Amino acid sequence: MLDMKIVRQDPEKIQKMLRDRYVEFDLDSLLDLDKKRREYILSTDDLRKKKNEMSLKIAETKKAGQDADKIIQEMQLVSRQLTELEETQNKTELEYSKLILTLPNIFDQTVPIGEDSSANKEVKKWGDIPKFDFQVSDHIDITQKLNLVDLQRAAKTAGARFYYLRGDLVKLNQSLIQFALDFLDDKGFTLFQPPYMINKKSMEGAIIAEDFKDVIYKIDDEDLYLIGTAEHAMASMYADEILDGASFPMRCAAISPCFRKEAGAHGKDQKGIFRVHQFEKVEQFVFSRPEDSWKEHEKMIAITEEFFQKLEIPYRVMLLSSGDMGKISAKTYDLETWMPGQNAYRETASCSNCLEYQARRLKIRFRDRTNEDTKYVNTLNSTLVATERTMVAIIENFQTKDGHIEIPKQLQKYVGKKMI
RNA sequence: GCGGGGAUCGCCUAGCUUGGUAGGGCGUAGGAUUGCUAAUCCUAUGUUCGCAAGAACUCGUGGGUUCAAAUCCCUCUCCCCGCGCCA
């Protein structure tokens, strides 16, 4: 959520942002609702003042043992008026908050302007693309031959985009998780295992409404939603709290499964475990002071890069364009790993600075002394490793001529072998 | 799941029986006073609208009763104690 003061002061800037993000948004309606809303606040406040004064008078009159019937009658009228006015005000308030919650974040000036991923800017490339002296297979082929993934039976028991991992691939998955947690633990991150389901209020704070229907699974008859990423549970963890300024930066590492509908992805990456309804992810989540958040952002992408370097997987870092990035983010880097089976770099990690946008939705504030004004914290999130997709990269980059998979050196001690 | 108890300002707490301006303490900040290693006193302290003055809101949530609700009634959530169930 943006500060409405900024929107009021500079609607041109917001209009430009909306154009550059290629987002349809009725800014005039928002400005109109904001105006109405403030007018209603003034008039209801006025009426409440009147009511408070009369209430006091009634109490005094009664205490003095006098007849208060006349004032009570007047008060009845005022009360009725107030109830009516409050009803219209509530309606406006509701419309206003619904609308402002869908207004995207202002993005950073370093973000390239463009409609889609074609405008993304490559900022870094690391590692050599492996050359194979044999016909390269994709991860589906390799895992089918080694019997490491059962997609057919998963389709039977759960549906498309589900999978049974089998045998050593289960071990590889756990190894990636364990290695990732050790890696972040060593860097001083606090480890978390969050709730995998959170309530509506928390989810609404963490994401933008339209993501609900395309991404988020709801539990029937409960006020619970399966998290699409640990970010959702981590961001809402400190909702409605005023934190101590001395506790920043709070660098958190969260391990969780992620559940996603992938409703808008029909036909895309249909096979294998590249795009699935559930996967495991170790996430970096940082609560930061506003003045430090850009520094933290660079640090987070550097940490994710270091992790993939340790895994010896070639990658490039893309700075996402205004039209391609998420609506709550002010700046997003994607780390794309080389996938020989697809002969392309594919998104494997994503690192965003949301500035105070997410914290404003969730009312996460801080101050250094109790009598200071509160300020909104900045929130940042980045994938350290999404294990299923990273395993695709490992399987394809580390495939051998005889159809096996070498295990990256760093993971060998965790898996307990050098080859699958 | 059943029975009992609870939720008040950053923290602790009074008020609820009997409806009528939510009081105190701690902490923190600013100020004053006294000067034997510190103490005492004053003021401020959450949210919204506002340049400000100010006003309104705030007693877990949402309803209801009433001229008026922290207080009475109902719903839900969470916490504590006991019982039941259970990896």
Side-chain angles (χ1 to χ4, degrees):
Chain A
M1 189 167 80
L2 287 175
D3 186 351
M4 194 58 210
K5 275 179 196 152
I6 292 171
V7 180
R8 257 196 317 264
Q9 274 161 19
D10 200 350
E12 282 307 304
K13 185 180 172 178
I14 305 299
Q15 205 64 265
K16 183 179 184 313
M17 175 275 283
L18 290 166
R19 269 200 309 275
D20 289 342
R21 276 186 181 269
Y22 293 82
V23 165
E24 295 278 328
F25 184 88
D26 192 349
L27 188 61
D28 290 334
S29 273
L30 180 67
L31 289 165
D32 186 50
L33 280 167
D34 171 58
K35 199 175 158 213
K36 264 200 211 148
R37 168 176 178 266
R38 282 180 303 146
E39 281 166 5
Y40 277 129
I41 287 172
L42 282 182
S43 47
T44 47
D45 271 11
D46 229 40
L47 214 53
R48 285 203 191 99
K49 185 186 175 185
K50 198 165 160 191
K51 195 177 133 181
N52 286 343
E53 284 167 358
M54 289 174 79
S55 180
L56 203 64
K57 220 194 247 170
I58 292 170
E60 276 169 3
T61 310
K62 282 201 164 179
K63 246 179 218 163
Q66 289 165 359
D67 181 31
D69 282 0
K70 212 167 203 171
I71 320 172
I72 287 176
Q73 268 175 24
E74 252 182 87
M75 179 92 158
Q76 279 172 334
L77 198 73
V78 175
S79 265
R80 252 201 310 276
Q81 278 177 349
L82 184 60
T83 311
E84 278 168 33
L85 196 58
E86 274 173 341
E87 243 166 69
T88 19
Q89 191 206 349
N90 284 345
K91 251 184 239 161
T92 311
E93 193 77 36
L94 219 70
E95 276 180 70
Y96 165 80
S97 57
K98 211 171 154 186
L99 196 55
I100 194 168
L101 283 174
T102 64
L103 180 63
N105 199 358
I106 297 169
F107 56 82
D108 189 59
Q109 9 174 346
T110 57
V111 169
I113 310 293
E115 184 166 6
D116 51 35
S117 59
S118 63
N120 294 351
K121 210 170 91 189
E122 182 182 304
V123 293
K124 189 166 180 183
K125 205 174 234 174
W126 183 91
D128 297 321
I129 290 173
K131 292 198 176 71
F132 298 95
D133 56 2
F134 55 88
Q135 183 63 43
V136 174
S137 301
D138 65 18
H139 83 279
I140 302 158
D141 257 11
I142 298 165
T143 52
Q144 290 304 301
K145 282 188 182 130
L146 294 173
N147 200 9
L148 294 172
V149 179
D150 190 338
L151 297 167
Q152 290 75 23
R153 292 199 176 86
K156 177 175 71 181
T157 57
R161 295 194 193 282
F162 286 96
Y163 55 85
Y164 287 93
L165 298 187
R166 291 174 49 105
D168 283 340
L169 204 57
V170 175
K171 277 184 123 177
L172 182 64
N173 190 39
Q174 295 303 313
S175 302
L176 269 171
I177 293 168
Q178 195 51 52
F179 177 47
L181 290 175
D182 286 350
F183 178 77
L184 287 181
D185 191 26
D186 282 348
K187 293 202 179 294
F189 280 67
T190 307
L191 304 187
F192 284 90
Q193 189 165 331
Y196 302 156
M197 299 172 232
I198 58 176
N199 59 33
K200 187 172 190 195
K201 186 170 181 262
S202 302
M203 195 58 95
E204 277 175 341
I207 66 173
I208 277 190
E210 61 220 53
D211 289 351
F212 259 98
K213 61 179 195 317
D214 288 346
V215 178
I216 301 297
Y217 287 106
K218 165 135 180 43
I219 305 294
D220 251 357
D221 302 323
E222 305 268 353
D223 178 25
L224 286 172
Y225 297 80
L226 287 171
I227 57 173
T229 154
E231 177 202 342
H232 299 155
M234 294 308 291
S236 48
M237 178 167 62
Y238 292 114
D240 299 313
E241 292 191 38
I242 298 168
L243 303 169
D244 181 0
S247 43
F248 301 110
M250 291 172 54
R251 301 195 182 101
C252 310
I255 166 66
S256 83
C258 304
F259 302 97
R260 300 189 181 181
K261 279 190 185 170
E262 298 289 350
H266 298 298
K268 258 199 267 176
D269 309 309
Q270 196 63 50
K271 286 184 137 183
I273 57 169
F274 183 84
R275 186 181 298 280
V276 281
H277 288 309
Q278 92 181 43
F279 57 92
E280 286 74 45
K281 177 156 65 68
V282 174
E283 176 89 343
Q284 307 176 60
F285 197 93
V286 172
F287 298 91
S288 149
R289 301 179 73 94
E291 61 268 30
D292 296 332
S293 71
W294 289 117
K295 201 175 68 198
E296 290 294 326
H297 188 226
E298 292 301 320
K299 199 172 168 143
M300 286 168 96
I301 185 66
I303 286 173
T304 302
E305 280 188 55
E306 188 189 335
F307 186 79
F308 279 88
Q309 287 173 16
K310 280 189 186 287
L311 292 179
E312 302 165 80
I313 299 172
Y315 66 81
R316 64 179 188 179
V317 178
M318 305 296 287
L319 175 55
L320 296 197
S321 74
S322 53
D324 198 32
M325 64 194 292
K327 293 182 179 60
I328 67 166
S329 174
K331 184 176 181 177
T332 299
Y333 291 118
D334 270 7
L335 186 146
E336 300 180 342
T337 54
W338 178 253
M339 307 255 174
Q342 303 186 36
N343 199 39
Y345 284 100
R346 295 301 309 271
E347 178 189 347
T348 307
S350 189
C351 176
S352 297
N353 185 358
C354 299
L355 298 175
E356 62 169 42
Y357 184 90
Q358 201 172 40
R360 219 172 239 287
R361 292 170 150 256
L362 289 158
K363 292 202 182 66
I364 311 170
R365 291 156 298 173
F366 77 98
R367 65 183 155 206
D368 295 300
R369 296 200 179 78
T370 48
N371 55 328
E372 261 181 10
D373 281 349
T374 57
K375 281 177 277 196
Y376 286 100
V377 309
N378 281 15
T379 61
L380 304 96
N381 64 83
S382 175
T383 319
L384 192 267
V385 60
T387 57
E388 271 70 19
R389 197 168 280 193
T390 300
M391 285 200 293
V392 172
I394 291 173
I395 291 162
E396 294 188 358
N397 279 287
F398 288 79
Q399 59 183 294
T400 63
K401 193 171 186 171
D402 57 355
H404 287 270
I405 307 157
E406 252 182 274
I407 293 170
K409 284 191 196 71
Q410 295 281 345
L411 296 178
Q412 288 177 5
K413 67 171 177 185
Y414 291 98
V415 184
K417 51 174 79 172
K418 294 180 173 173
M419 189 80 80
I420 294 175

